[in-house]
Amino acid sequence: MEKIIKKTKQLNAILRKTSVDFSEQLPYQKMFEQVAHIISGELFMVDTKRSCLGYGYFSEDLTSNLTLKNFFTHQKLSEEVSEQILSQYQSQANVALQDSSLALVKELLSNFSEHLLTTIPIEGSDLRLGTLFVLSSKPLNEEQMILLDIFATFIGNQLSYMMLDALEEKRRNSTFQALIQTLSRPELESFKTIIEKIDL
């Protein structure tokens, strides 16, 4: 119990320092690098558009692996693999990578063939927003699963906040454009004069 409390405090410290700026993406890469050491595993996250948002290694040997860096930074999961993953609505822990849907991803299989895979859906506002993947050399225990669930919940909440903010901004812009289109030329000129004075 003492160990899980200590690690939970470490994870919470990272999450508290992660400020939300709706104009920017969350600092996924930094977060994943730190969390990888807390849970003692390699992890990454893929969104519903099949792009990797961030990754972190527990093993320092992997930091110089250019194949993995290129995959996580520039490539996407195939549509086939993504469909299989998004059809899973519950966490799946400690499945042999070669028996999982990621076995089709050669960059991962060639580097983690002996690893176990744990997948955790990322959700927020009742929407599926992505998937958290953890690769471990031995089965994850209950403590690690609790920490990962906290982490996944945090990311899901933040992603949903950002998504809702973007939708609200789009709605405001649409309303503003509709309003402008209803104005006559004299009204538009008057509106333009008012805006220019506000800018001053």
Side-chain angles (χ1 to χ4, degrees):
M1 179 60 77
E2 184 177 342
K3 184 178 179 182
I4 184 63
I5 291 174
K6 180 180 178 181
K7 286 189 174 268
T8 301
K9 286 182 176 178
Q10 290 176 327
L11 177 59
N12 285 336
I14 292 172
L15 302 184
R16 280 195 298 271
K17 292 177 183 176
T18 306
S19 60
V20 180
D21 182 348
F22 290 128
S23 66
E24 298 180 0
Q25 288 277 18
L26 286 171
Y28 296 109
Q29 191 57 38
K30 183 177 180 181
M31 291 167 61
F32 274 70
E33 289 170 0
Q34 293 175 317
V35 173
H37 288 280
I38 292 177
I39 60 113
S40 303
E42 331 300 336
L43 72 163
F44 63 98
M45 177 186 165
V46 173
D47 63 15
T48 54
K49 296 179 181 178
R50 303 184 286 121
S51 298
C52 178
L53 298 184
Y55 61 94
Y57 302 132
F58 174 64
S59 172
E60 298 295 337
D61 295 339
L62 295 172
T63 56
S64 59
N65 189 310
L66 295 180
T67 300
L68 286 176
K69 182 177 181 179
N70 178 65
F71 173 74
F72 288 132
T73 306
H74 302 295
Q75 295 178 237
K76 291 176 178 279
L77 289 179
S78 69
E79 291 185 9
E80 177 186 0
V81 171
S82 180
E83 285 178 7
Q84 290 183 37
I85 292 166
L86 293 175
S87 67
Q88 301 170 6
Y89 295 98
Q90 300 293 328
S91 297
Q92 295 187 348
N94 305 314
V95 177
L97 179 63
Q98 53 195 356
D99 296 330
S100 73
S101 53
L102 290 188
L104 298 174
V105 185
K106 63 181 188 304
E107 292 87 351
L108 297 177
L109 190 62
S110 62
N111 285 279
F112 302 105
S113 59
E114 302 300 319
H115 282 61
L116 299 173
L117 174 68
T118 295
T119 58
I120 302 174
I122 302 291
E123 298 174 315
S125 301
D126 290 327
L127 295 172
R128 179 67 174 273
L129 303 172
T131 308
L132 178 64
F133 299 91
V134 183
L135 294 157
S136 55
S137 57
K138 57 184 180 180
L140 297 181
N141 57 38
E142 289 184 358
E143 294 175 353
Q144 291 167 309
M145 290 300 297
I146 290 171
L147 293 170
L148 288 167
D149 189 62
I150 293 171
F151 186 48
T153 300
F154 172 83
I155 292 179
N157 287 338
Q158 301 296 57
L159 278 176
S160 66
Y161 293 156
M162 296 175 77
M163 178 190 67
L164 292 173
D165 184 72
L167 289 174
E168 177 60 21
E169 178 68 20
K170 185 176 180 180
R171 185 192 67 79
R172 287 195 298 266
N173 290 339
S174 177
T175 301
F176 182 74
Q177 290 173 0
L179 174 63
I180 294 298
Q181 290 172 356
T182 64
L183 298 178
S184 64
R185 180 171 292 278
E187 289 172 329
L188 281 172
E189 291 299 327
S190 298
F191 183 74
K192 180 180 177 183
T193 303
I194 293 171
I195 293 299
E196 288 173 347
K197 287 182 178 180
I198 292 174
D199 288 340
L200 292 174

